[in-house]
Amino acid sequence: TQLLEQSPQFLSIQEGENLTVYCNSSSVFSSLQWYRQEPGEGPVLLVTVVTGGEVKKLKRLTFQFGDARKDSSLHITAAQPGDTGLYLCAEWGYSTLTFGKGTMLLVSP
Amino acid sequence: GAVVSQHPSWVICKSGTSVKIECRSLDFQATTMFWYRQFPKQSLMLMATSNEGSKATYEQGVEKDKFLINHASLTLSTLTVTSAHPEDSSFYICSARAGAWGTDTQYFGPGTRLTVL
Protein backbone atom coordinates (compact mmCIF):
# COMPACT_ATOMS: atom_id res chain seq x y z
CA THR A 1 0.00 0.00 0.00
CA GLN A 2 1.40 3.36 -1.02
CA LEU A 3 2.00 5.96 1.68
CA LEU A 4 0.72 9.42 0.85
CA GLU A 5 2.20 12.36 2.72
CA GLN A 6 0.29 15.61 2.87
CA SER A 7 1.63 18.94 4.06
CA PRO A 8 1.01 21.05 5.93
CA GLN A 9 -1.24 19.17 8.34
CA PHE A 10 -2.97 22.37 9.39
CA LEU A 11 -3.21 25.82 7.83
CA SER A 12 -4.93 28.88 9.25
CA ILE A 13 -5.10 31.96 7.03
CA GLN A 14 -7.05 35.14 6.50
CA GLU A 15 -9.61 35.64 3.77
CA GLY A 16 -7.97 36.80 0.55
CA GLU A 17 -4.65 35.03 1.06
CA ASN A 18 -3.22 32.45 -1.31
CA LEU A 19 -2.10 29.00 -0.22
CA THR A 20 -0.67 25.76 -1.52
CA VAL A 21 -0.98 22.28 -0.07
CA TYR A 22 1.04 19.29 -1.14
CA CYS A 23 0.68 15.56 -1.60
CA ASN A 24 3.76 13.39 -2.03
CA SER A 25 4.67 9.76 -2.38
CA SER A 26 7.84 7.76 -2.74
CA SER A 27 6.16 5.72 -5.46
CA VAL A 28 4.53 6.66 -8.72
CA PHE A 29 0.83 7.39 -8.55
CA SER A 30 -1.38 5.57 -11.01
CA SER A 31 -3.65 8.57 -10.77
CA LEU A 32 -4.56 11.02 -8.04
CA GLN A 33 -7.72 12.59 -6.74
CA TRP A 34 -8.27 15.60 -4.52
CA TYR A 35 -11.26 15.79 -2.19
CA ARG A 36 -12.62 18.39 0.21
CA GLN A 37 -14.43 17.29 3.33
CA GLU A 38 -16.41 19.66 5.52
CA PRO A 39 -16.99 18.82 9.20
CA GLY A 40 -19.63 16.15 9.65
CA GLU A 41 -19.86 15.45 5.93
CA GLY A 42 -18.47 12.94 3.48
CA PRO A 43 -15.64 13.93 1.12
CA VAL A 44 -16.51 15.55 -2.18
CA LEU A 45 -14.39 14.93 -5.25
CA LEU A 46 -12.71 18.05 -6.62
CA VAL A 47 -10.52 16.70 -9.40
CA THR A 48 -8.76 13.68 -10.85
CA VAL A 49 -5.31 14.00 -12.40
CA VAL A 50 -3.84 11.25 -14.49
CA THR A 51 -1.09 12.56 -16.74
CA GLY A 52 2.31 13.71 -15.47
CA GLY A 53 2.62 17.50 -15.70
CA GLU A 54 -1.13 17.92 -15.90
CA VAL A 55 -2.66 21.16 -14.63
CA LYS A 56 -6.36 21.53 -13.94
CA LYS A 57 -8.27 24.56 -12.76
CA LEU A 58 -11.53 24.71 -10.86
CA LYS A 59 -12.44 28.36 -10.33
CA ARG A 60 -9.90 29.59 -7.77
CA LEU A 61 -8.34 26.16 -7.29
CA THR A 62 -5.39 25.02 -9.40
CA PHE A 63 -4.24 21.42 -9.29
CA GLN A 64 -0.88 20.24 -10.55
CA PHE A 65 0.40 16.72 -11.05
CA GLY A 66 4.16 16.34 -10.99
CA ASP A 67 5.98 15.30 -14.13
CA ALA A 68 7.11 12.09 -12.48
CA ARG A 69 3.62 11.47 -11.06
CA LYS A 70 4.97 11.23 -7.52
CA ASP A 71 3.64 14.52 -6.22
CA SER A 72 0.74 16.89 -6.59
CA SER A 73 -0.24 20.30 -5.33
CA LEU A 74 -3.40 22.28 -4.79
CA HIS A 75 -3.19 26.06 -4.95
CA ILE A 76 -6.04 28.26 -3.81
CA THR A 77 -6.12 31.89 -4.86
CA ALA A 78 -7.84 34.50 -2.70
CA ALA A 79 -9.12 32.01 -0.17
CA GLN A 80 -12.63 32.48 1.21
CA PRO A 81 -14.22 31.21 4.45
CA GLY A 82 -16.21 28.76 2.33
CA ASP A 83 -12.93 27.06 1.41
CA THR A 84 -12.56 25.89 5.01
CA GLY A 85 -12.36 22.12 5.26
CA LEU A 86 -10.15 19.05 5.18
CA TYR A 87 -8.36 18.62 1.86
CA LEU A 88 -7.51 15.03 1.10
CA CYS A 89 -5.49 13.54 -1.69
CA ALA A 90 -6.09 9.95 -2.63
CA GLU A 91 -4.44 7.53 -4.94
CA TRP A 92 -7.00 6.18 -7.33
CA GLY A 93 -5.77 2.66 -7.70
CA TYR A 94 -6.95 -0.51 -9.32
CA SER A 95 -9.88 -1.10 -7.05
CA THR A 96 -9.68 1.10 -3.97
CA LEU A 97 -8.76 4.58 -2.86
CA THR A 98 -5.88 5.22 -0.50
CA PHE A 99 -6.17 8.54 1.30
CA GLY A 100 -3.50 10.80 2.70
CA LYS A 101 -3.91 12.21 6.21
CA GLY A 102 -5.20 15.49 4.86
CA THR A 103 -4.60 19.20 5.32
CA MET A 104 -7.05 21.01 7.55
CA LEU A 105 -7.62 24.52 6.17
CA LEU A 106 -9.23 27.28 8.20
CA VAL A 107 -9.99 30.54 6.43
CA SER A 108 -11.00 33.36 8.74
CA PRO A 109 -13.03 36.38 7.60
CA GLY B 1 -24.39 13.97 -10.01
CA ALA B 2 -24.76 10.62 -8.33
CA VAL B 3 -26.15 10.71 -4.81
CA VAL B 4 -25.36 8.38 -1.94
CA SER B 5 -27.31 8.58 1.29
CA GLN B 6 -26.65 7.16 4.73
CA HIS B 7 -29.02 6.50 7.57
CA PRO B 8 -28.94 7.38 10.33
CA SER B 9 -26.79 10.49 10.21
CA TRP B 10 -25.95 10.05 13.86
CA VAL B 11 -26.62 7.43 16.50
CA ILE B 12 -25.91 7.05 20.19
CA CYS B 13 -26.05 3.60 21.73
CA LYS B 14 -25.13 1.79 24.92
CA SER B 15 -22.08 -0.40 25.13
CA GLY B 16 -22.85 -3.98 24.14
CA THR B 17 -25.67 -3.19 21.74
CA SER B 18 -25.60 -3.53 17.95
CA VAL B 19 -26.08 -0.72 15.49
CA LYS B 20 -26.99 -0.93 11.81
CA ILE B 21 -26.01 1.77 9.31
CA GLU B 22 -27.54 1.88 5.84
CA CYS B 23 -25.91 3.15 2.68
CA ARG B 24 -28.01 3.72 -0.42
CA SER B 25 -27.21 4.80 -3.95
CA LEU B 26 -30.22 6.89 -4.89
CA ASP B 27 -29.94 7.36 -8.63
CA PHE B 28 -27.59 4.65 -9.83
CA GLN B 29 -26.85 1.00 -9.28
CA ALA B 30 -23.71 0.37 -7.30
CA THR B 31 -21.88 -2.81 -8.12
CA THR B 32 -19.36 -2.07 -5.39
CA MET B 33 -19.70 -0.24 -2.09
CA PHE B 34 -16.99 0.69 0.34
CA TRP B 35 -17.06 1.36 4.07
CA TYR B 36 -14.62 3.74 5.70
CA ARG B 37 -14.01 4.79 9.27
CA GLN B 38 -12.69 8.20 10.27
CA PHE B 39 -11.52 9.12 13.76
CA PRO B 40 -11.35 12.80 14.82
CA LYS B 41 -8.70 14.78 13.01
CA GLN B 42 -7.69 11.74 11.00
CA SER B 43 -8.14 10.59 7.45
CA LEU B 44 -10.47 7.98 6.05
CA MET B 45 -9.43 4.39 6.58
CA LEU B 46 -10.95 1.73 4.36
CA MET B 47 -12.65 -0.99 6.37
CA ALA B 48 -14.10 -3.23 3.70
CA THR B 49 -15.20 -3.56 0.11
CA SER B 50 -18.48 -5.21 -0.77
CA ASN B 51 -19.80 -6.39 -4.09
CA GLU B 52 -23.48 -7.03 -4.58
CA GLY B 53 -24.38 -10.61 -3.83
CA SER B 54 -21.01 -11.68 -2.49
CA LYS B 55 -19.11 -11.58 0.77
CA ALA B 56 -17.30 -8.42 1.72
CA THR B 57 -13.53 -8.17 1.59
CA TYR B 58 -12.15 -6.75 4.81
CA GLU B 59 -8.96 -4.79 5.23
CA GLN B 60 -6.27 -6.11 7.48
CA GLY B 61 -7.04 -5.49 11.14
CA VAL B 62 -10.79 -5.09 10.67
CA GLU B 63 -12.81 -7.75 12.50
CA LYS B 64 -15.33 -9.22 10.10
CA ASP B 65 -17.38 -10.73 12.91
CA LYS B 66 -17.70 -7.37 14.58
CA PHE B 67 -18.41 -5.28 11.49
CA LEU B 68 -20.99 -7.20 9.49
CA ILE B 69 -21.51 -5.99 5.96
CA ASN B 70 -24.40 -6.96 3.73
CA HIS B 71 -24.78 -5.84 0.13
CA ALA B 72 -28.03 -7.52 -0.78
CA SER B 73 -29.02 -5.25 -3.66
CA LEU B 74 -27.42 -2.92 -6.15
CA THR B 75 -28.63 0.11 -4.22
CA LEU B 76 -28.22 -0.88 -0.58
CA SER B 77 -25.37 -1.91 1.67
CA THR B 78 -25.55 -2.17 5.44
CA LEU B 79 -22.87 -2.10 8.11
CA THR B 80 -23.77 -3.59 11.47
CA VAL B 81 -21.49 -2.86 14.39
CA THR B 82 -22.07 -5.76 16.76
CA SER B 83 -21.55 -5.51 20.52
CA ALA B 84 -20.39 -1.95 20.17
CA HIS B 85 -17.89 -0.51 22.62
CA PRO B 86 -16.76 3.07 23.22
CA GLU B 87 -13.67 2.54 21.08
CA ASP B 88 -15.98 1.90 18.12
CA SER B 89 -17.19 5.48 18.35
CA SER B 90 -16.26 7.06 15.05
CA PHE B 91 -17.52 8.61 11.83
CA TYR B 92 -18.50 5.89 9.38
CA ILE B 93 -18.64 6.81 5.70
CA CYS B 94 -19.74 4.69 2.78
CA SER B 95 -19.07 5.16 -0.90
CA ALA B 96 -20.52 3.58 -3.97
CA ARG B 97 -19.11 2.87 -7.40
CA ALA B 98 -21.34 2.39 -10.39
CA GLY B 99 -18.96 0.55 -12.66
CA ALA B 100 -17.02 -2.63 -12.28
CA TRP B 101 -13.72 -1.00 -13.09
CA GLY B 102 -11.44 0.36 -10.44
CA THR B 103 -11.19 3.55 -12.48
CA ASP B 104 -14.85 4.38 -12.07
CA THR B 105 -15.67 7.24 -9.72
CA GLN B 106 -16.64 6.57 -6.12
CA TYR B 107 -19.42 8.70 -4.69
CA PHE B 108 -19.39 9.26 -0.96
CA GLY B 109 -22.24 9.37 1.49
CA PRO B 110 -22.57 12.08 4.13
CA GLY B 111 -21.38 9.82 6.93
CA THR B 112 -22.84 8.46 10.16
CA ARG B 113 -21.58 9.61 13.54
CA LEU B 114 -21.62 6.71 16.02
CA THR B 115 -21.19 7.37 19.71
CA VAL B 116 -21.07 4.40 22.05
CA LEU B 117 -21.61 5.20 25.73
Side-chain angles (χ1 to χ4, degrees):
Chain A
T1 301
Q2 180 160 226
L3 189 63
L4 279 68
E5 298 286 343
Q6 287 192 245
S7 62
Q9 288 186 338
F10 183 78
L11 192 56
S12 180
I13 62 172
Q14 295 293 317
E15 182 176 4
E17 293 184 27
N18 302 329
L19 67 115
T20 303
V21 298
Y22 301 92
C23 177
N24 297 282
S25 172
S26 57
S27 305
V28 174
F29 292 113
S30 53
S31 59
L32 190 78
Q33 295 184 319
W34 283 94
Y35 290 82
R36 181 173 69 207
Q37 183 183 24
E38 298 186 18
E41 299 290 333
V44 175
L45 177 65
L46 297 174
V47 77
T48 301
V49 287
V50 179
T51 306
E54 187 175 5
V55 177
K56 285 190 173 180
K57 292 190 175 183
L58 183 65
K59 297 183 179 178
R60 293 176 294 101
L61 278 61
T62 301
F63 304 86
Q64 288 191 306
F65 201 19
D67 292 339
R69 292 165 55 210
K70 296 173 70 173
D71 59 274
S72 181
S73 64
L74 159 59
H75 181 80
I76 301 179
T77 303
Q80 299 177 359
D83 296 326
T84 292
L86 179 66
Y87 288 82
L88 296 157
C89 66
E91 184 187 21
W92 190 26
Y94 300 103
S95 61
T96 61
L97 287 171
T98 301
F99 285 91
K101 291 188 176 181
T103 293
M104 183 64 218
L105 173 65
L106 175 63
V107 183
S108 301
Chain B
V3 178
V4 175
S5 70
Q6 285 185 238
H7 178 79
S9 56
W10 59 270
V11 57
I12 301 172
C13 69
K14 292 182 178 180
S15 185
T17 61
S18 295
V19 174
K20 180 184 284 188
I21 302 170
E22 292 186 350
C23 176
R24 294 182 184 273
S25 57
L26 299 184
D27 50 2
F28 67 100
Q29 293 186 325
T31 55
T32 305
M33 288 186 169
F34 304 86
W35 287 96
Y36 296 83
R37 182 167 51 183
Q38 186 178 31
F39 292 108
K41 298 183 180 181
Q42 294 188 24
S43 188
L44 282 73
M45 295 299 295
L46 180 65
M47 298 175 67
T49 302
S50 73
N51 292 294
E52 185 264 339
S54 61
K55 290 184 178 180
T57 301
Y58 290 82
E59 295 298 301
Q60 192 172 8
V62 178
E63 300 174 60
K64 62 180 181 181
D65 294 329
K66 181 170 185 62
F67 299 99
L68 302 179
I69 293 173
N70 184 282
H71 191 166
S73 78
L74 286 172
T75 60
L76 173 65
S77 176
T78 61
L79 167 67
T80 301
V81 183
T82 62
S83 186
H85 292 286
E87 58 265 30
D88 298 323
S89 297
S90 188
F91 193 50
Y92 291 87
I93 305 171
C94 74
S95 70
R97 189 176 70 200
W101 300 102
T103 52
D104 291 316
T105 298
Q106 286 188 31
Y107 299 95
F108 285 83
T112 296
R113 174 76 59 192
L114 170 63
T115 301
V116 184
L117 302 177

